[in-house]
Amino acid sequence: MSDERSPGVKLLFTGLVGAALIVPLLMVYWLISDRQHQARVAQASITEGWAGAQTVSGPMLIVPYTATREISEERDGKTTTRTVTVREMLYLSPIKQNLDANIDPEIRSRGIIHQSVVYDAAITGSAGFAMPADLDRLGIQQTQLLLDEAFLQLPISDPRGLQTDAALKVGDQTLNLKPGLGSSQTGAGVHAFFDWTEGAEFMLQFSYTLRGSSAFSMVPRGEETNFAVRSTWPHPSFSGGFLPGDADKEVGPEGFSAKWSISNLALGQSLVSTNAPANPVIVQDGDDYRYAQTASGENISGNEIATIRLMEPVDLYKRVERALKYGFLFIGFTFLAFLMFDIVAGARVAPAEYLLTGAGLILFFVMLLAFAELIGFAFAYIVASGAIIGLLTSYSAAVLGSWKRARVIGALLIGLYAVLYVLLNLEAWSLVIGSVMLFAALAGVMYATRTIEWSNATIRGASANEAAL
């Protein structure tokens, strides 16, 4: 037999064909990325006229005050100092606040493929404010405060979602809401002026309905914050710097509920400040969320925020992408079976037949992606794997010259697709299962080829016909 039919040469050609299939595998990966991008664009268009991921902050009381400052000026080469009166702001956090949110989710669709989760959040709460007893540590006297010009602000990351039922009350007094945070403050939300001339402790009551999408976050403010949320969405994901304990949350098919109790000691923030506090918001970055600051857009730690993400139960693009990462496992095992039939059993398999078989295996991932967008991942997996198993089993009967051998290929493919589905659902065990499979395959190949002379077509200790399957 010629040298190009030696087992070593066959192994080399098989490896080259397998390496050539890297290109179509990468093309499928790019196809998944493109479809994923199109899905994100469609989801953004769904929520464009609704509102984005919402972040609400506890109410703040802002009191203007007057202060004297010395400024230096240089005129005609001489530096002079003069005293001026300036107007600055004092920011007071509540001594206690309670916030309850009832999130009503809804799935909106664009066409028959793309979906996004939006919601209406009915929010009610209260916040108590009192005159700080330690103003002097900031160098401020109560006589400097312009209490009649005080105002309350309620930061909301995307005010587009604010509905017409928003109301702020102090006792029986309903405050007139205005857009923005007031007094050239950066950030988004609403504010209302409040004459606090008496300087007495008071309780603020607030309620509003807020539209949003994908996620809802709360920034705690004050000495004590109690936050409770309820929803009928069964797939929440809790993140941020504050997570509810196991005893403080319930998640089930009918929805979820959770509560937080956060003290000022955990926040590490002063209740009184002359600097405007940051109002962190969550923004979507690809498939993930990151925390940003409304004024500058800089990344922050997110330790001062509690986030609830309304997750999709299945991210089909991620699952198809994970399945594609096992593409070489399918190609390798199938080519290995063909190679064993070729070398040990004498079935002549041409490089073109390896290539066509590899193309069929790659087509599985394209079909999986296409059908998953229409009928869901599980049913798409059944349809795509069934079609490819039937196609390659029939083709193997012609290539290997025997339906008995083709049934071995069919059984191998059924086992591979079954194991892959298990790997996709048991992510924590995927590496263990995959490594065991590779070990078993390597051991089987070593055993089957233990008598082969790789430099020629002979088998040590037996004739080729005796070793044929």
Side-chain angles (χ1 to χ4, degrees):
M1 186 173 295
S2 64
D3 183 63
E4 62 182 15
R5 289 292 298 165
S6 70
V9 172
K10 293 177 182 179
L11 179 60
L12 176 62
F13 276 114
T14 303
L16 291 175
V17 172
L21 292 174
I22 292 177
V23 176
L25 276 176
L26 289 176
M27 294 176 65
V28 176
Y29 184 83
W30 292 330
L31 175 63
I32 295 172
S33 298
D34 179 67
R35 299 296 295 181
Q36 195 171 25
H37 173 71
Q38 290 183 34
R40 285 197 294 265
V41 171
Q43 289 170 352
S45 67
I46 292 172
T47 60
E48 184 177 1
W50 192 263
Q54 291 285 13
T55 301
V56 299
S57 301
M60 297 286 292
L61 176 63
I62 293 87
V63 182
Y65 69 95
T66 57
T68 57
R69 299 284 184 264
E70 291 186 350
I71 61 173
S72 298
E73 296 179 342
E74 186 173 339
R75 291 183 179 179
D76 301 327
K78 295 182 179 180
T79 300
T80 59
T81 302
R82 64 188 180 95
T83 302
V84 297
T85 300
V86 296
R87 179 187 175 95
E88 297 183 350
M89 298 292 173
L90 184 68
Y91 299 86
L92 304 180
S93 297
I95 54 178
K96 182 178 181 179
Q97 72 159 328
N98 299 303
L99 190 146
D100 293 293
N102 194 345
I103 299 176
D104 182 20
E106 177 186 349
I107 296 180
R108 293 203 161 192
S109 301
R110 175 62 55 89
I112 61 175
I113 296 177
H114 305 299
Q115 295 180 335
S116 185
V117 182
V118 299
Y119 60 80
D120 286 293
I123 300 170
T124 59
S126 63
F129 293 91
M131 182 67 68
D134 57 348
L135 276 178
D136 53 350
R137 72 178 178 81
L138 296 174
I140 302 173
Q141 301 299 319
Q142 189 168 336
T143 55
Q144 297 175 245
L145 300 179
L146 305 176
L147 297 177
D148 59 334
E149 299 182 27
F151 60 95
L152 292 153
Q153 64 177 208
L154 200 61
I156 297 170
S157 63
D158 192 348
R160 293 180 306 153
L162 196 62
Q163 302 302 289
T164 57
D165 60 349
L168 268 70
K169 288 185 177 182
V170 177
D172 295 331
Q173 179 187 1
T174 300
L175 305 181
N176 185 24
L177 289 176
K178 297 182 180 298
L181 296 182
S183 188
S184 302
Q185 300 290 301
T186 57
V190 295
H191 72 283
F193 291 103
F194 173 63
D195 187 349
W196 197 31
T197 303
E198 297 180 357
E201 183 176 334
F202 69 93
M203 183 66 70
L204 170 70
Q205 306 287 339
F206 57 90
S207 64
Y208 55 94
T209 300
L210 190 64
R211 286 180 171 182
S213 59
S214 302
F216 179 82
S217 299
M218 192 278 297
V219 180
R221 298 271 194 241
E223 188 172 353
E224 179 184 346
T225 299
N226 297 304
F227 174 42
V229 63
R230 295 168 299 280
S231 177
T232 57
W233 187 255
H235 309 288
S237 174
F238 302 98
S239 61
F242 300 100
L243 301 176
D246 292 338
D248 296 326
K249 67 180 178 181
E250 292 183 5
V251 180
E254 301 300 320
F256 73 91
S257 64
K259 59 182 180 180
W260 292 254
S261 183
I262 304 167
S263 73
N264 186 53
L265 298 177
L267 292 174
Q269 299 173 354
S270 174
L271 298 180
V272 185
S273 176
T274 56
N275 297 317
N279 293 312
V281 298
I282 53 172
V283 294
Q284 191 164 3
D285 186 6
D287 294 324
D288 299 320
Y289 284 85
R290 65 177 176 87
Y291 297 95
Q293 192 170 314
T294 55
S296 61
E298 296 175 354
N299 290 337
I300 60 175
S301 65
N303 289 335
E304 57 281 276
I305 198 168
T307 298
I308 304 160
R309 182 180 176 187
L310 307 182
M311 296 181 63
E312 296 283 358
V314 176
D315 187 341
L316 65 91
Y317 296 105
K318 286 291 185 184
R319 298 190 72 178
V320 175
E321 183 180 320
R322 283 191 61 216
L324 183 62
K325 293 177 181 178
Y326 293 95
F328 269 108
L329 194 66
F330 280 71
I331 295 172
F333 273 90
T334 307
F335 279 17
L336 198 57
F338 273 33
L339 186 64
M340 290 301 97
F341 280 119
D342 190 350
I343 295 176
V344 179
R348 300 175 66 89
V349 183
E353 293 167 335
Y354 281 106
L355 189 62
L356 290 174
T357 301
L361 293 171
I362 294 173
L363 181 60
F364 161 76
F365 300 105
V366 179
M367 295 180 65
L368 177 61
L369 174 62
F371 282 101
E373 291 183 331
L374 298 176
I375 60 176
F377 184 84
F379 288 111
Y381 195 92
I382 294 173
V383 171
S385 60
I388 296 303
I389 290 171
L391 174 66
L392 295 186
T393 301
S394 301
Y395 184 65
S396 299
V399 171
L400 302 177
S402 168
W403 273 102
K404 181 179 179 180
R405 296 170 178 172
R407 283 194 291 269
V408 174
I409 298 297
L412 172 66
L413 291 174
I414 291 173
L416 285 174
Y417 284 114
V419 170
L420 176 60
Y421 193 81
V422 172
L423 292 177
L424 296 176
N425 288 277
L426 297 176
E427 185 173 356
W429 290 90
S430 60
L431 182 59
V432 174
I433 296 174
S435 61
V436 171
M437 288 179 59
L438 291 174
F439 176 82
L442 179 61
V445 171
M446 286 181 172
Y447 180 81
T449 61
R450 67 192 186 281
T451 59
I452 291 178
E453 290 284 356
W454 290 97
S455 59
N456 54 60
T458 64
I459 301 177
R460 290 192 297 265
S463 65
N465 292 332
E466 291 172 344
L469 295 180

